Amino acid sequence: MSHPKPLRFVTLLGSLRAGSYHAALANALPALAPEGVTITPLASIGDFPHYNADVQAEGFPPAVLKMADSIRGADGVLIVTPEYNYSVPGVLKNALDWLSRVTPQPLAGKPVAIQTGSPGTIGGARAQYHLRQMMVFLDAQVLNKPEIMIGGMPSRIDPTTHEITDEATAGLVAQQLVALAAMVR
């Protein structure tokens, strides 16, 4: 029996808050990964300056180039983000604006899975759909299903232990990781 090709996924976190439920979700992913898949976090998007074409003209910030290289070197990307004001957080949009200008474009053709959540019931659905629209422009290959939109995050994720405490949620997240691995392979 042959072993599946080892895969390396990276997580792009759309939250900067230290006690973020989304950071806890991202940190829980390695334990849910299928055999042969490693998942590591990218650096903080909080290290990116506000996008400004004048800054770009003087050279890309090192944090942007480092993240672009990390994404290029990965087999897949997991974007884990909250919803702010019916869309993605500004810091995530800023990071994507920077990354979209790097050549070669690091997300072009890259398999991407999206995970959103919120304390409310619809689990960041509006942010997820806006993010999917952005991924079209970036030419990323977004996994369609299973969709991960976690409503009621405080009752499903423990931000102190970085564990998904709801068995059904953990199972669905694990299914998405298997699906992303299958998409890559």
Side-chain angles (χ1 to χ4, degrees):
M1 181 166 144
S2 66
H3 293 286
K5 173 189 172 224
L7 299 176
R8 189 171 150 295
F9 296 160
V10 292
T11 53
L12 177 57
L13 180 60
S15 178
L16 301 179
R17 190 170 63 85
S20 165
Y21 288 103
H22 297 86
L25 172 59
N27 288 329
L29 296 178
L32 297 172
E35 182 182 350
V37 175
T38 58
I39 301 174
T40 56
L42 291 167
S44 173
I45 56 177
D47 295 337
F48 288 24
H50 292 293
Y51 178 76
N52 180 330
D54 293 338
V55 173
Q56 179 187 337
E58 298 199 8
F60 282 90
V64 173
L65 294 176
K66 181 180 179 193
M67 186 174 291
D69 286 343
S70 294
I71 291 171
R72 273 193 222 97
D75 296 300
V77 177
L78 292 142
I79 301 175
V80 182
T81 186
E83 177 177 293
Y84 287 1
N85 301 316
Y86 287 19
S87 192
V88 298
V91 68
L92 178 57
K93 176 69 167 77
N94 181 63
L96 294 172
D97 287 344
W98 270 112
L99 291 168
S100 74
R101 287 158 173 84
V102 176
T103 305
Q105 212 302 305
L107 287 161
K110 187 67 61 178
V112 172
I114 300 171
Q115 299 178 358
T116 57
S118 72
T121 57
I122 63 171
R126 294 167 293 219
Q128 183 152 153
Y129 292 134
H130 284 180
L131 190 51
R132 286 175 180 272
Q133 288 174 315
M134 290 177 226
M135 292 297 109
V136 171
F137 178 79
L138 297 173
D139 198 27
Q141 303 301 308
V142 179
L143 178 71
N144 288 324
K145 291 184 180 178
E147 291 179 308
I148 304 297
M149 297 177 218
I150 304 171
M153 278 189 109
S155 67
R156 298 174 191 271
I157 296 175
D158 186 333
T160 56
T161 63
H162 300 276
E163 292 177 330
I164 299 172
T165 56
D166 178 71
E167 192 175 312
T169 301
L172 189 60
V173 169
Q175 285 175 31
Q176 187 193 52
L177 298 176
V178 168
L180 184 61
M183 179 183 187
V184 171
R185 291 187 171 120

